[in-house]
Amino acid sequence: FQQSGLSGNVVFPSSVTTVGGNIVRGCTSPTLSLSFENGCKLSSLQKESFYGAPLSGTITLGASLTSIPDRAFGRITGTYSIVFETGSQLQSIGHSAFAQASTQTDGGLSGNLVLPASLLTISDSAFFNQGTFSLSFESGSQLTSIGDGAFQQSGLSGNVVFPSSVTTVGGNIVR
């Protein structure tokens, strides 16, 4: 879909297991909503899968996804929220995975982001320069590591209580 005017709702069927890199890069539509069917078997995203996409609405990530790679949702130009399907197996969020919204006040991540209990690592700059959103962790969180600048220059709202399982915290995580 690169360089296209694709707009509206794009729903990936439950049969999709892998999404390649840069599939919507350069897409010119101001509104593109992306989701994955319930029961999605998505287990792999490649680096920069949705980099620079004009996404809006809710992005639902399937339970079988184990990793969100570097810049997978970097430089999104719309306002969006992320929901993890019940029973998520997500273990890692890569470097700059959701970094650099178009502008912190006019776009980017919004709503309440609830990170799944299975998550072990949030890499450097994962949510750098994002919109205004609240952050919480599922009960029983296994998170152990938060990288440098993970939430730097983001509009985190409300109280954030990091899980007691965290053993390593990088510098400037919320500066």
Side-chain angles (χ1 to χ4, degrees):
F1 305 118
Q2 282 191 355
Q3 308 295 327
S4 74
L6 183 67
S7 65
N9 296 323
V10 175
V11 179
F12 287 88
S14 60
S15 59
V16 171
T17 59
T18 301
V19 175
N22 295 306
I23 67 166
V24 291
R25 190 173 212 159
C27 183
T28 58
S29 170
T31 57
L32 179 62
S33 177
L34 170 72
S35 63
F36 297 89
E37 278 184 347
N38 285 340
C40 183
K41 304 294 187 264
L42 182 70
S43 58
S44 175
L45 288 174
Q46 290 186 4
K47 184 165 52 172
E48 299 183 352
S49 291
F50 302 103
Y51 186 87
L55 300 178
S56 64
T58 300
I59 300 168
T60 303
L61 298 175
S64 60
L65 183 66
T66 59
S67 175
I68 298 173
D70 298 352
R71 297 179 300 284
F73 295 93
R75 293 195 181 265
I76 300 293
T77 60
T79 301
Y80 65 99
S81 60
I82 298 286
V83 173
F84 294 95
E85 192 174 66
T86 301
S88 175
Q89 298 172 30
L90 185 70
Q91 294 181 355
S92 65
I93 296 176
H95 183 274
S96 301
F98 296 95
Q100 299 180 328
S102 55
T103 67
Q104 187 177 19
T105 56
D106 294 330
L109 193 56
S110 68
N112 182 29
L113 176 63
V114 180
L115 295 176
S118 58
L119 182 64
L120 301 173
T121 304
I122 300 172
S123 296
D124 297 349
S125 303
F127 296 93
F128 173 79
N129 194 36
Q130 264 306 329
T132 302
F133 66 101
S134 60
L135 176 67
S136 60
F137 300 86
E138 276 185 346
S139 177
S141 177
Q142 300 173 41
L143 183 67
T144 59
S145 177
I146 302 171
D148 291 339
F151 300 97
Q152 186 175 359
Q153 296 181 16
S154 287
L156 284 175
S157 64
N159 295 326
V160 177
V161 177
F162 291 101
S164 60
S165 57
V166 174
T167 57
T168 303
V169 178
N172 298 316
I173 66 165
V174 294
R175 184 175 144 194

